[in-house]
Amino acid sequence: MAYVTLNGVDHYYEWICDGPQGHRPTLVFLHGWGGSARYWERTAQVMKQDFDCLLYDLRGFGRSSAAQNMTPDLGELESFADDLECLLATLKLDRVFISAHSMGASVALYFLSRYPQQVNRAILTCNGSFEYDELAFKAFHQFGGYVVMFRPSWLARIPLAPQMFMSRFLKGQIPYADKKVFLNDFLQADQATALGTLKASVSKHATEAMPRAFSAISVPTLLISGQYDRITPAELGRQAASLNPNIEYFEVPETGHFPMLEDATTYLSIFKDFLHGQSLAQH
């Protein structure tokens, strides 16, 4: 286990490499809301022959600390993009590849907008562009607030809780042990950070800033959706990809919000080909 201080906050990070780190290009993984880098480990294990894989937990999630004085600007996803820039500078990394999921993909999108010169290629999974709906957003924030506020630790000890918790996120099945990890990460997430990022992810600002950021992407980018994703519907991914010729789009059939776990074979085939600059036409 290793920690690095980024913008005054201790962040957990780890390398998954095939041999000494520094001899291959760097592939950075970003996780989604309420989770941790743990669910990227299997993908990184496959990719480690060709890349030095850098996994880290976003501020306030997983094994990373939260900001001591949570302010509204620290809930904005752009601030997490600045954390990533600080991570790369601290570890002396330049021109990386990025793989990001869900809220982490929004963070990566803002990073691409602010620091395009530091990215070779990017893969954004389960993300997209959406329109502002004041009533729906208010309802989402209210319900999400209840969910974040009511997270008793004893939920982790109920056998069916991981299954119920993950049911909305999945179309297919993943191992029960993975579901337990997801639930534990969610229960341990910092409350203020979880609430702040929840509101920032679904906000009027996001509906304005994200389309601009998608349109401005200047590096080769792949947007992957799960066909039956109920969190970020595939249509939102298609809409985002249509904004920029630098964005390729692929939809993983029969998967929900975690295609990298629900159908690792298909996901990794696309993932590898894109990172190596190969055509996705055969898929």
Side-chain angles (χ1 to χ4, degrees):
M1 294 178 65
Y3 284 85
V4 60
T5 301
L6 309 175
N7 296 319
V9 179
D10 290 339
H11 285 65
Y12 172 87
Y13 76 98
E14 64 178 292
W15 288 100
I16 295 180
C17 308
D18 187 12
Q21 181 264 323
H23 295 281
R24 290 161 293 271
T26 298
L27 174 57
V28 184
F29 290 84
L30 284 79
H31 65 82
W33 185 85
S36 75
R38 292 182 179 94
Y39 68 77
W40 276 124
E41 289 175 358
R42 288 179 190 159
T43 305
Q45 287 291 345
V46 174
M47 300 304 299
K48 69 180 182 181
Q49 292 183 343
D50 299 320
F51 295 89
D52 290 336
C53 297
L54 174 60
L55 286 67
Y56 79 106
D57 291 347
L58 300 177
R59 169 174 26 94
F61 295 104
R63 295 147 290 188
S64 291
S65 299
Q68 288 189 348
N69 297 309
M70 185 66 180
T71 57
D73 62 302
L74 290 178
E76 296 297 331
L77 301 188
E78 289 91 336
S79 71
F80 290 84
D82 292 336
D83 288 345
L84 174 56
E85 194 279 332
C86 187
L87 174 67
L88 300 185
T90 301
L91 298 181
K92 295 180 172 55
L93 299 173
D94 187 36
R95 296 286 292 173
V96 301
F97 294 77
I98 290 179
S99 169
H101 174 245
S102 195
M103 186 193 85
S106 296
V107 173
L109 177 64
Y110 291 129
F111 184 84
L112 286 168
S113 179
R114 293 184 175 206
Y115 310 101
Q117 72 282 359
Q118 294 187 240
V119 184
N120 277 302
R121 286 177 169 250
I123 298 178
L124 310 179
T125 301
C126 298
N127 199 265
S129 179
F130 52 97
E131 297 180 354
Y132 180 62
D133 186 329
E134 183 178 5
L135 292 178
F137 285 14
K138 282 184 177 180
F140 175 82
H141 293 158
Q142 185 175 39
F143 176 75
Y146 290 147
V147 171
V148 171
M149 298 294 286
F150 181 72
R151 292 179 299 158
S153 59
W154 50 260
L155 274 178
R157 299 193 294 271
I158 298 177
L160 290 179
Q163 182 77 19
M164 292 186 292
F165 175 72
M166 291 300 296
S167 62
R168 181 167 176 77
F169 297 93
L170 304 172
K171 168 62 175 176
Q173 285 297 321
I174 63 174
Y176 179 76
D178 288 346
K179 295 176 182 179
K180 287 186 67 175
V181 167
F182 277 111
L183 178 58
N184 286 332
D185 281 339
F186 172 70
L187 294 176
Q188 294 168 12
D190 174 68
Q191 181 171 295
T193 306
L195 286 171
T197 51
L198 182 76
K199 292 178 179 179
S201 296
V202 180
S203 64
K204 188 174 188 297
H205 171 71
T207 64
E208 297 168 348
M210 290 181 66
R212 290 197 299 266
F214 279 119
S215 298
I217 287 177
S218 58
V219 303
T221 298
L222 173 63
L223 209 162
I224 301 177
S225 295
Q227 182 183 9
Y228 294 105
D229 188 348
R230 289 188 284 175
I231 307 302
T232 309
E235 177 58 29
L236 303 185
R238 287 192 292 270
Q239 290 175 12
S242 71
L243 296 173
N244 191 322
N246 289 318
I247 305 176
E248 294 189 69
Y249 178 77
F250 187 84
E251 199 168 292
V252 183
E254 300 297 323
T255 61
H257 196 58
F258 288 91
M260 75 289 285
L261 299 178
E262 297 174 76
D263 185 357
T265 300
T266 300
Y267 184 88
L268 282 167
S269 176
I270 295 294
F271 194 94
K272 288 179 182 178
D273 284 353
F274 178 78
L275 290 182
H276 289 300
Q278 298 176 17
S279 172
L280 303 183
Q282 73 244 24
H283 298 277

